[in-house]
Amino acid sequence: MSDAPATDERSSIPVRTAGLAAGLGAWILWSAIILTGSGPIIINNVIAGAAIGAFAAYTAGWPDGGALPSIAAPLIVVLLGLWVIAAPFVLEVPADRLFWSNVISGLLVVALAGGSVYGSWQLTRSTATGV
């Protein structure tokens, strides 16, 4: 028996990007309260942030997909990130800290979840080819 640890050939980048997206989901959830928002953006951010956090954490916890196809959860996070970007415009939030928090957080979520989608796609493709 060898003392060398077993290595996994798969990349850990999709898991890490999903974990960071989950952290951003927590920020989005609390941002409307911390940055003193008003109106429907508060409920929007709580629901969207909780959903981003849940699906991103699911992706980080089960990178091979678990009960869902491996690409489904990160793809949902990408769509939710796009909604977080669009929400201040749709809900007519004044251009203040909460407006920019949503836009920047949404962009980061889309970028991180996009990386996770790509990584999940690579994992699915390599598993399908038997590599």
Side-chain angles (χ1 to χ4, degrees):
M1 187 189 258
S2 173
D3 290 334
T7 58
D8 191 3
E9 297 297 322
R10 294 181 287 184
S11 173
S12 63
I13 292 174
V15 174
R16 291 180 182 162
T17 57
L20 289 171
L24 282 169
W27 165 251
I28 293 166
L29 186 145
W30 287 103
S31 65
I33 297 163
I34 292 170
L35 299 175
T36 61
S38 62
I41 193 72
I42 295 172
I43 300 299
N44 176 75
N45 278 14
V46 168
I47 293 170
I52 288 170
F55 283 109
Y58 180 87
T59 302
W62 290 278
D64 61 344
L68 294 174
S70 63
I71 202 163
L75 192 58
I76 291 169
V77 175
V78 169
L79 295 174
L80 287 166
L82 291 171
W83 170 248
V84 168
I85 295 169
F89 299 100
V90 173
L91 300 175
E92 298 176 355
V93 174
D96 61 355
R97 294 178 299 175
L98 185 57
F99 177 91
W100 289 109
S101 173
N102 268 39
V103 171
I104 293 168
S105 298
L107 286 170
L108 289 171
V109 165
V110 168
L112 291 169
S116 190
V117 166
Y118 179 74
S120 296
W121 176 71
Q122 289 292 337
L123 177 64
T124 303
R125 195 175 81 168
S126 69
T127 304
T129 60
V131 175

